Amino acid sequence: QEGGGFFERFRGRLMFPIHNESGKIIGFGGRALAPHDEPKYLNSPETPIYRKSFVLYNLHRAKEVIRKVDRTILVEGYMDVVGVYGAGVHEVVASCGTALTSTQVRALKRHSDKIVVNFDPDAAGANAAERSIQILLEEGMHVRVLHLEGGLDPDEYVKEHGEDVYRAAAEKAPGYFYWLADRARARSDMRSAEG
């Protein structure tokens, strides 16, 4: 940046290979290891073979299990996929550093039309979940939302509670409407006419 030659694009980052649906590596995601490094996640630039709006992280590994259990679990990030998959829940995927797209949803629907959305419990995660629900519904998916207790993201939750508890929570996840209604109630004063 100061004009002194070249430096490694992904230096000081934990690397995640990104595969296409057939399992070939087409790009990389790099998570910053130092807290001051920005952005936190940096993906390979788009190329003719890597278009992030077309790719779902881990779909090449998850697709057989998704067909078998007839459900996808959609999480936000690479670490959530690695943690949940590593705990034994293998039907898990994430979008690659981009908002969910119709193209990605159609790729999932080829394997199952049922999906559990399990984004981080913070405000950004809830907003992303709300946007994703709209796209999923437009593509005819059956959507449920898993909200984990204790403010934990999926990776943290499965580490703390284990595969069986996480799987049971995913099985019992309510339909999207109940989650959206709870969000609307939380934003409004339900004791007033305006609310």
Side-chain angles (χ1 to χ4, degrees), residues 37-195:
D37 273 358
E38 291 295 329
K40 184 175 175 184
Y41 283 96
L42 181 65
N43 282 1
S44 293
E46 298 224 340
T47 67
I49 61 165
Y50 172 59
R51 293 162 69 191
K52 62 185 177 185
S53 62
F54 283 58
V55 181
L56 285 152
Y57 184 69
N58 199 49
L59 183 58
H60 70 293
R61 284 191 193 94
K63 62 186 179 182
E64 298 301 325
V65 182
I66 289 169
R67 275 195 218 108
K68 195 166 118 187
V69 301
D70 193 22
R71 173 188 69 205
T72 304
I73 296 176
L74 178 68
V75 296
E76 271 188 281
Y78 307 123
M79 289 304 296
D80 288 330
V81 169
V82 170
V84 172
Y85 190 96
V89 181
H90 293 164
E91 65 270 27
V92 62
V93 299
S95 59
C96 291
T98 181
L100 191 68
T101 66
S102 298
T103 309
Q104 291 169 326
V105 176
R106 286 193 291 273
L108 286 175
K109 195 174 178 183
R110 286 198 304 271
H111 307 291
S112 173
D113 64 356
K114 297 178 184 70
I115 191 161
V116 175
V117 177
N118 182 203
F119 284 3
D120 292 355
D122 57 16
N127 292 336
E130 200 166 318
R131 286 191 302 272
S132 297
I133 288 167
Q134 190 60 47
I135 292 160
L136 290 161
L137 293 174
E138 284 168 8
E139 294 297 329
M141 297 288 277
H142 300 281
V143 184
R144 292 183 294 141
V145 179
L146 174 53
H147 178 76
L148 298 171
E149 298 304 314
L152 300 173
D153 65 31
D155 174 42
E156 295 164 338
Y157 188 89
V158 81
K159 273 192 192 111
E160 195 166 301
H161 299 283
E163 172 193 358
D164 293 339
V165 174
Y166 181 84
R167 197 179 286 284
E171 294 285 344
K172 292 189 298 227
Y176 74 92
F177 181 81
Y178 297 101
W179 183 81
L180 289 174
D182 286 344
R183 259 176 75 75
R185 276 195 290 273
R187 282 195 294 249
S188 307
D189 177 8
M190 299 309 288
R191 293 165 301 192
S192 69
E194 290 81 6

